[in-house]
Amino acid sequence: MYDDKELAEYRDLLPAPKHFEEGFDWKTIVGAVFIGFLMMPGSMYLQLVIGTGIGPAARWVTIILFAEIAKRAYTELKQQEIFLLYYMAGAAMASPFHGLLWNQYLVQSDAAKMLGLTDLIPTWVAPGPDSESLVARTFFHRDWLVPILLLVGSQIVQRIDHFGLGYALYRVTSDVEKLPFPMAPVGALGTMALAESTEDRKTGWKWRVFSIGGMIGLAFGALYVLFPVVSGLVFTEPVRLIPIPWADFTRNTEHWLPAVATGIQFDLGLVFTGMVLPFWAVIGGLVGLAVTFVANPVLYDHGVLHRWRQGMGTVETVFANNFDFYMSFGIGLGLAIGVIGVWQVAKSLRKGGVGGAAYKALFDTNKARGDINFWLSIGIYVFSTLAYVGMCLFLVPQFPWMFFVLYGFVYTPIISYITARMEGIAGQFVSLPLVREASFIAGAKFFGYQGIEIWYAPIPIHNYGKATVDFREIELTGTSLRGIIKAEIVVFPVVMTASLLFSQFIWQLAPIPSASYPYAQELWHLQALNTLLMQTSTLEGNSLFFQALNGWYVSAGLGLGLVTYFLLMLFGLPVLLVYGIVRGLGQSVPHGLILEVVGALLGRYYFLKRYGKKWRQYAPVLLAGFSCGMGLMGMFAMGATLILKSLGKLAY
């Protein structure tokens, strides 16, 4: 694999530290409660309203608040304490019970009724559509007991599993093979932005850059989030100065761009995201999008995209095109990325094999870093995988058990090692598409399984490669793993309790989806159609999935992906173009890509020229500040909504 110049710029942004500290103390415990009960509801609310939570914002708001409290107590937060707060906020923003809000919609959805799947969704996912709990919009009902217990059990195993195979692969790729992990410094730098002391802030740049981003986020958030929410509380319908989630032009352009979803998403955060993402990955996405603008009318004229009709909006257009062509084509593109990843790993192993003596580093424990014994991490992986297998056998006893074993002990370690090496070499995630889905279909076709329960079971197909980057970030910030483990123990009960309570409260305010939650109202129907269409493949008869699957289109996607990659290599062009092109051709909703490209162009041709390589460090901190400002406005809007609607209920 050749050395990509752009990735090389990311490699040496941050040297590994010599000193480590736990960073766990009373501030961490208070921070966990603060994040769970003050940040999480705002994030959940924004996710339903505009489609993005306040994950980054929650982290920065927490750090700022605790830094200011520490300052007034004549002390300062250490870098490790800041990282632990950042880490816990990330765990909290996952909001496990948010998935149950989706499940209650799915079981009642028009998509499930249309495909005849309503009565087939198991009750351990969500109560049936005739349940009183769905009418009353409450999780505090006996019909929700099994789904909640299953969710809690899965979350416990998942948190333990975090220190299993992912950690073992981190030790292999980082300690033994010494891979550079080019994207880890980017993540670590953002978390360190507020570690500057008061004196450092006078001469340093991080706090200044963060503050600029924060003020921009506050101003934009006031228009994008706060004004619609406040107007919705005063008037019968919210007034949106900026369209949420996007301005849809598909019906206006259908005569000269048939079967093309056109529009633009006016979220300024996408500009800042484009500044942070690797430039050629963003440009590749634009190339892929441009290809679809040319290809879709041609495919429509030749009868390939035959389900599209005039008058369809973005959601209907994307679904129809996916059904006719892009689902199969996207599978082929994903396979191409998987093949490329496997080939690159094999090539790098042949080029620079690591001697056997180097593997002794696996069994050397760095006490300061808080290393876990290598064999203990393998034991955690075996335990968690067996736990997943046991849950699957209990929930779906009709499905062939050998698949669960192959998922956990054959496929998972192989794809995880491939991804870990790709993350370590090029900062890229590797995924083989539809392995899970293909195995379900094989179980139905060759072993007689019929049903859709398997689609909801916690099967042990995981890709732990990304976890290696997380552990590398922990190392770069000088945080001992012991502090991370303690933080996990503290944050788990807080997150589970807060997530349940606020999911219940948000559901009580209004049906989900509804006009009160515009993003969910606009997008969830499309997501439900795509999800349930796939699930029909394990039912008896000629399912809609098999009608949509086309082997020729899969082959075309695979061939195009491989040819594009090798042409880029031949001409010495950035390999990140391939990943971007795949993203642009994927036929997901394309409207946000325009502002990402604007951000990428601004970053590359203005800010990079003005500030030099230092801009690589500025950009993630600027994005963090913007997210913080947006998050503050989201929290304020959430608070106003909860208070006024609660008062409205009390009045009657």
Side-chain angles (χ1 to χ4, degrees), residues 16 26 43 82 90 107 111 237-238 304 315 318 336 370 435 450 477 491 529 543 580 596 600 636:
W26 66 268
S43 180
I82 287 176
V107 78
E237 290 290 330
V304 176
V315 172
V318 170
V435 170
Q450 298 292 335
T477 57
V491 80
L529 281 171
S543 74
E596 274 189 19
F636 186 77

Side-chain angles (χ1 to χ4, degrees), residues 148-232:
I148 289 174
L149 289 176
L150 180 62
L151 175 65
V152 173
S154 299
Q155 286 291 315
I156 291 173
V157 175
Q158 183 179 323
R159 299 323 298 172
I160 295 171
D161 193 26
H162 186 65
F163 299 95
L165 187 60
Y167 179 76
L169 290 173
Y170 154 72
R171 295 290 301 277
V172 171
T173 53
S174 181
D175 291 358
V176 176
E177 299 177 352
K178 306 290 186 185
L179 300 181
F181 288 95
M183 300 309 292
V186 176
L189 270 169
T191 69
M192 296 161 62
L194 300 179
E196 294 177 322
S197 66
T198 305
E199 290 302 315
D200 290 336
R201 288 182 183 179
K202 294 178 182 177
T203 56
W205 58 267
K206 293 177 185 175
W207 178 255
R208 186 170 66 254
V209 172
F210 184 89
S211 301
I212 292 170
M215 293 307 298
I216 297 172
L218 284 170
F220 182 73
L223 294 175
Y224 196 61
V225 178
L226 185 61
F227 186 80
V229 169
V230 173
S231 64

Side-chain angles (χ1 to χ4, degrees), residues 495-643:
V495 166
M496 298 304 291
T497 304
S499 182
L500 174 59
L501 292 176
F502 288 114
S503 295
Q504 164 76 12
F505 197 78
I506 289 172
W507 193 16
Q508 284 282 300
L509 292 176
I512 302 175
S514 66
S516 299
Y517 307 110
Y519 181 86
Q521 187 178 37
E522 187 74 30
L523 263 293
W524 277 19
H525 179 60
L526 172 63
Q527 293 170 4
L529 281 171
N530 287 329
T531 298
L532 294 171
L533 172 65
M534 185 72 74
Q535 293 176 12
T536 64
S537 61
T538 52
L539 294 175
E540 190 175 0
N542 185 24
S543 74
L544 289 172
F545 171 79
F546 285 112
Q547 293 178 32
L549 189 64
N550 185 302
W552 289 107
Y553 300 160
V554 172
S555 301
L558 174 62
L560 179 65
L562 293 175
V563 168
T564 302
Y565 174 76
F566 286 109
L567 283 175
L568 290 175
M569 282 197 66
L570 184 64
F571 293 104
L573 295 172
V575 83
L576 287 173
L577 267 174
V578 176
Y579 297 94
I581 290 171
V582 167
R583 178 185 171 209
L585 290 172
Q587 269 301 279
S588 57
V589 177
H591 305 336
L593 189 58
I594 305 300
L595 289 189
E596 274 189 19
V597 172
V598 171
L601 293 173
L602 281 173
R604 177 105 171 174
Y605 295 108
Y606 178 73
F607 291 110
L608 191 61
K609 286 186 176 180
R610 180 167 182 177
Y611 299 107
K613 290 186 178 180
K614 200 74 174 173
W615 170 247
R616 296 292 186 200
Q617 296 177 315
Y618 292 169
V621 179
L622 191 66
L623 173 61
F626 177 85
S627 301
C628 178
M630 279 285 288
L632 285 171
M633 278 299 163
M635 290 165 58
F636 186 77
M638 174 69 177
T641 302
L642 297 184
I643 291 170

